[in-house]
């Protein structure tokens, strides 16, 4: 009887102990709650910073000192110029929200809408046409060096575009169906390809600029070409030189301007051991994503006009030569300049029978 009583008392004490421990844990959680209910930071530590800074606001987005000074009772290490010991930067949450929110939305929308616009244009207006039938006479348009530089730049850009899209959207699009483990390898490989191919793309872009800049200065006949949109809508063929005005706009606006934005911002992000602050890296990331989005957008149009949009243009960059009729239709000024340098094809020999009679 005593043993049974002791057993029941022990069970009641054990239950009381469990209830007490649960109550203490809940009380501890409620006491640890940060009082600022309106705060929506990424991490609990950042809430602590928000509480300590509410009377001494940190400089805003437009200040170079944004995120560089904060009070954090859990902070470890001395804050130095290189920020090598900074565990948490207050402005990082702003960067994360902008990058994963409106910037990613605008970039994704642009990249999805652009192919649809190009496809609709192709269905509505069709490809550019050559006026005369093929002549059989070939004109040298691009040298082996020019083609090699072009394709090296193109391939390195494609590698950067694909890996950049994985880095930007992979966590939301690829990881849910591929799984965390498999996607981690895709992301790691993509990151290393992006980081190592980036400097190669810069070198190729510089060589591309040096190779083609002499033929990309605007001339008097480029304005009439622009007013007619290159004949893409009415299928007329305004005069053009070695490169038309559209190709020149892509060269200066895409290869040079956007290439410069991506190259500089990419180097800042790729080599972070030269004293860059987190704020500078965040601005560089904004510029890099924006420049890359516009570059991909322009590249889609460039690829379309170099293939389906202008039949015969791909042959020039693939084999180096074009038919004289194609050159006369699409680049008449250049055709007239080089036509006299290429001998006409030999006249066809009349057919003969077995005895050699015509």
């Amino acid at each position: 009887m005593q043993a049974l009583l002791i057993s029941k008392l022990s069970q009641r004490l054990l239950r009381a102990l469990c209830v007490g421990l649960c109550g203490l844990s809940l009380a501890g959680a409620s006491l640890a709650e940060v009082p600022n209910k309106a705060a929506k930071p990424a991490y609990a530590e950042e809430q602590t910073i928000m509480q300590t800074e509410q009377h001494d606001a940190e400089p805003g987005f437009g200040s170079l000192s944004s995120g560089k000074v904060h009070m954090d009772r859990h902070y470890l290490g001395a804050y130095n110029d290189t920020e090598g010991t900074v565990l948490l930067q207050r402005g990082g949450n702003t960067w994360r929200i902008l990058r994963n929110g409106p910037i990613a939305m605008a970039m994704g929308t642009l990249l999805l809408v652009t192919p649809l616009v190009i496809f609709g244009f192709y269905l509505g207006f069709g490809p550019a046409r050559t006026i005369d039938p093929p002549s059989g006479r070939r004109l040298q348009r691009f040298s082996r060096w020019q083609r090699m530089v072009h394709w090296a730049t193109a391939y390195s850009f494609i590698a950067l575009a694909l890996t950049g899209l994985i880095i930007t959207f992979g966590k939301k699009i690829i990881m849910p169906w591929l799984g965390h483990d498999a996607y981690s390898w895709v992301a790691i490989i993509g990151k290393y390809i992006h980081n190592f191919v980036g400097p190669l793309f810069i070198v190729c872009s510089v060589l591309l600029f040096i190779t083609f800049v002499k033929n990309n200065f605007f001339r008097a006949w480029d304005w009439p070409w622009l007013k007619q949109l290159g004949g893409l809508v009415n299928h007329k063929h305004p005069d053009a030189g070695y490169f038309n005005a559209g190709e020149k706009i892509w060269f200066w606006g895409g290869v040079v301007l956007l290439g410069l934005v991506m190259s500089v911002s990419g180097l800042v992000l790729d080599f972070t051991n030269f004293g860059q602050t987190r704020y500078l890296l965040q601005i560089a990331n904004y510029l890099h994503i924006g420049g890359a989005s516009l570059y991909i957008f322009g590249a889609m149009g460039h690829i379309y006009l170099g293939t389906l949009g202008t039949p015969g243009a791909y042959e020039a960059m693939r084999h180096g030569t074009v038919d004289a009729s194609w050159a006369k239709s699409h680049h008449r000024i250049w055709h007239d300049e080089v036509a006299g340098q290429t001998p006409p094809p030999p006249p066809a020999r009349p057919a003969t029978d077995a005895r050699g009679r015509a």
Side-chain angles (χ1 to χ4, degrees), residues 129 151 170 193 280 308 330 337:
R129 304 183 183 96
W151 288 117
I193 291 176
L280 178 61
L308 294 176
H330 300 285
E337 291 176 353

Side-chain angles (χ1 to χ4, degrees), residues 252-326:
W252 292 107
V255 175
V256 177
L257 179 60
L258 294 178
L260 187 63
V261 170
M262 289 194 302
S263 298
V264 173
S265 60
L267 289 175
V268 170
L269 294 169
D270 212 357
F271 301 96
T272 59
N273 50 344
F274 291 96
Q276 297 97 313
T277 63
R278 282 165 171 75
Y279 180 80
L280 178 61
L281 293 176
Q282 289 154 8
I283 298 299
N285 184 253
Y286 295 146
L287 294 174
H288 198 71
I289 294 176
S293 300
L294 294 177
Y295 203 111
I296 295 174
F297 165 76
M300 288 181 182
H302 179 68
I303 293 171
Y304 165 73
L305 293 175
T307 53
L308 294 176
T310 311
Y314 174 76
E315 296 180 13
M317 193 53 72
R318 176 67 177 84
H319 303 289
T321 61
V322 294
D323 188 85
S325 295
W326 183 93

Side-chain angles (χ1 to χ4, degrees), residues 152-170:
T153 307
Y155 289 142
S156 59
F157 166 74
I158 292 174
L160 291 175
L162 293 177
T163 53
L165 291 175
I166 291 174
I167 293 171
T168 305
F169 299 107

